[in-house]
PDB file of all heavy atoms in Angstrom:
ATOM      1  N   PRO A 122      17.261  43.457  -2.927  1.00 96.00           N
ATOM      2  CA  PRO A 122      18.703  43.765  -2.849  1.00 96.00           C
ATOM      3  C   PRO A 122      19.569  42.530  -2.601  1.00 96.00           C
ATOM      4  O   PRO A 122      20.591  42.360  -3.202  1.00 96.00           O
ATOM      5  CB  PRO A 122      18.835  44.770  -1.720  1.00 96.00           C
ATOM      6  CG  PRO A 122      17.496  45.332  -1.549  1.00 96.00           C
ATOM      7  CD  PRO A 122      16.501  44.282  -1.984  1.00 96.00           C
ATOM      8  N   LEU A 123      19.057  41.679  -1.692  1.00 96.00           N
ATOM      9  CA  LEU A 123      19.837  40.472  -1.363  1.00 96.00           C
ATOM     10  C   LEU A 123      19.916  39.525  -2.555  1.00 96.00           C
ATOM     11  O   LEU A 123      20.983  39.045  -2.922  1.00 96.00           O
ATOM     12  CB  LEU A 123      19.191  39.742  -0.173  1.00 96.00           C
ATOM     13  CG  LEU A 123      19.481  40.340   1.205  1.00 96.00           C
ATOM     14  CD1 LEU A 123      18.584  39.667   2.260  1.00 96.00           C
ATOM     15  CD2 LEU A 123      20.911  40.148   1.583  1.00 96.00           C
ATOM     16  N   ALA A 124      18.784  39.288  -3.195  1.00 95.00           N
ATOM     17  CA  ALA A 124      18.752  38.331  -4.344  1.00 95.00           C
ATOM     18  C   ALA A 124      19.580  38.868  -5.494  1.00 95.00           C
ATOM     19  O   ALA A 124      20.422  38.155  -6.076  1.00 95.00           O
ATOM     20  CB  ALA A 124      17.323  38.092  -4.788  1.00 95.00           C
ATOM     21  N   ALA A 125      19.394  40.138  -5.837  1.00 94.00           N
ATOM     22  CA  ALA A 125      20.120  40.722  -6.976  1.00 94.00           C
ATOM     23  C   ALA A 125      21.609  40.759  -6.710  1.00 94.00           C
ATOM     24  O   ALA A 125      22.408  40.447  -7.622  1.00 94.00           O
ATOM     25  CB  ALA A 125      19.588  42.129  -7.245  1.00 94.00           C
ATOM     26  N   THR A 126      22.004  41.120  -5.483  1.00 95.00           N
ATOM     27  CA  THR A 126      23.469  41.213  -5.217  1.00 95.00           C
ATOM     28  C   THR A 126      24.073  39.808  -5.195  1.00 95.00           C
ATOM     29  O   THR A 126      25.176  39.616  -5.708  1.00 95.00           O
ATOM     30  CB  THR A 126      23.717  41.894  -3.840  1.00 95.00           C
ATOM     31  OG1 THR A 126      22.893  43.054  -3.739  1.00 95.00           O
ATOM     32  CG2 THR A 126      25.160  42.285  -3.706  1.00 95.00           C
ATOM     33  N   MET A 127      23.303  38.873  -4.681  1.00 93.00           N
ATOM     34  CA  MET A 127      23.800  37.447  -4.624  1.00 93.00           C
ATOM     35  C   MET A 127      24.062  37.000  -6.058  1.00 93.00           C
ATOM     36  O   MET A 127      25.116  36.385  -6.346  1.00 93.00           O
ATOM     37  CB  MET A 127      22.696  36.615  -3.972  1.00 93.00           C
ATOM     38  CG  MET A 127      23.155  35.285  -3.412  1.00 93.00           C
ATOM     39  SD  MET A 127      24.021  35.441  -1.902  1.00 93.00           S
ATOM     40  CE  MET A 127      22.726  35.215  -0.702  1.00 93.00           C
ATOM     41  N   PHE A 128      23.121  37.252  -6.984  1.00 90.00           N
ATOM     42  CA  PHE A 128      23.324  36.833  -8.358  1.00 90.00           C
ATOM     43  C   PHE A 128      24.394  37.653  -9.060  1.00 90.00           C
ATOM     44  O   PHE A 128      25.082  37.144  -9.938  1.00 90.00           O
ATOM     45  CB  PHE A 128      22.020  36.857  -9.151  1.00 90.00           C
ATOM     46  CG  PHE A 128      21.116  35.747  -8.789  1.00 90.00           C
ATOM     47  CD1 PHE A 128      19.927  35.920  -8.094  1.00 90.00           C
ATOM     48  CD2 PHE A 128      21.443  34.426  -9.113  1.00 90.00           C
ATOM     49  CE1 PHE A 128      19.103  34.885  -7.723  1.00 90.00           C
ATOM     50  CE2 PHE A 128      20.619  33.362  -8.755  1.00 90.00           C
ATOM     51  CZ  PHE A 128      19.462  33.599  -8.064  1.00 90.00           C
ATOM     52  N   SER A 129      24.491  38.914  -8.706  1.00 91.00           N
ATOM     53  CA  SER A 129      25.531  39.724  -9.353  1.00 91.00           C
ATOM     54  C   SER A 129      26.927  39.297  -8.990  1.00 91.00           C
ATOM     55  O   SER A 129      27.886  39.562  -9.709  1.00 91.00           O
ATOM     56  CB  SER A 129      25.290  41.231  -9.033  1.00 91.00           C
ATOM     57  OG  SER A 129      25.731  41.484  -7.731  1.00 91.00           O
ATOM     58  N   LEU A 130      27.075  38.686  -7.781  1.00 90.00           N
ATOM     59  CA  LEU A 130      28.383  38.158  -7.360  1.00 90.00           C
ATOM     60  C   LEU A 130      28.890  37.156  -8.366  1.00 90.00           C
ATOM     61  O   LEU A 130      30.088  37.010  -8.553  1.00 90.00           O
ATOM     62  CB  LEU A 130      28.252  37.462  -6.022  1.00 90.00           C
ATOM     63  CG  LEU A 130      28.377  38.247  -4.729  1.00 90.00           C
ATOM     64  CD1 LEU A 130      28.464  37.313  -3.555  1.00 90.00           C
ATOM     65  CD2 LEU A 130      29.630  39.131  -4.747  1.00 90.00           C
ATOM     66  N   LEU A 131      27.951  36.480  -9.044  1.00 87.00           N
ATOM     67  CA  LEU A 131      28.364  35.471 -10.024  1.00 87.00           C
ATOM     68  C   LEU A 131      29.229  36.068 -11.152  1.00 87.00           C
ATOM     69  O   LEU A 131      29.996  35.363 -11.746  1.00 87.00           O
ATOM     70  CB  LEU A 131      27.113  34.784 -10.606  1.00 87.00           C
ATOM     71  CG  LEU A 131      26.419  33.770  -9.736  1.00 87.00           C
ATOM     72  CD1 LEU A 131      25.238  33.237 -10.432  1.00 87.00           C
ATOM     73  CD2 LEU A 131      27.358  32.639  -9.375  1.00 87.00           C
ATOM     74  N   ALA A 132      29.018  37.380 -11.403  1.00 86.00           N
ATOM     75  CA  ALA A 132      29.802  38.038 -12.432  1.00 86.00           C
ATOM     76  C   ALA A 132      31.308  37.851 -12.100  1.00 86.00           C
ATOM     77  O   ALA A 132      32.123  37.556 -13.003  1.00 86.00           O
ATOM     78  CB  ALA A 132      29.461  39.482 -12.558  1.00 86.00           C
ATOM     79  N   PHE A 133      31.652  38.065 -10.827  1.00 87.00           N
ATOM     80  CA  PHE A 133      33.057  37.968 -10.421  1.00 87.00           C
ATOM     81  C   PHE A 133      33.525  36.498 -10.497  1.00 87.00           C
ATOM     82  O   PHE A 133      34.623  36.207 -10.952  1.00 87.00           O
ATOM     83  CB  PHE A 133      33.204  38.436  -8.976  1.00 87.00           C
ATOM     84  CG  PHE A 133      32.957  39.909  -8.818  1.00 87.00           C
ATOM     85  CD1 PHE A 133      31.775  40.387  -8.362  1.00 87.00           C
ATOM     86  CD2 PHE A 133      33.980  40.826  -9.138  1.00 87.00           C
ATOM     87  CE1 PHE A 133      31.546  41.709  -8.195  1.00 87.00           C
ATOM     88  CE2 PHE A 133      33.723  42.181  -9.006  1.00 87.00           C
ATOM     89  CZ  PHE A 133      32.529  42.634  -8.545  1.00 87.00           C
TER      90      PHE A 133
END
Side-chain angles (χ1 to χ4, degrees):
Chain A
L123 282 170
T126 315
M127 199 77 94
F128 284 111
S129 75
L130 272 189
L131 285 179
F133 293 100

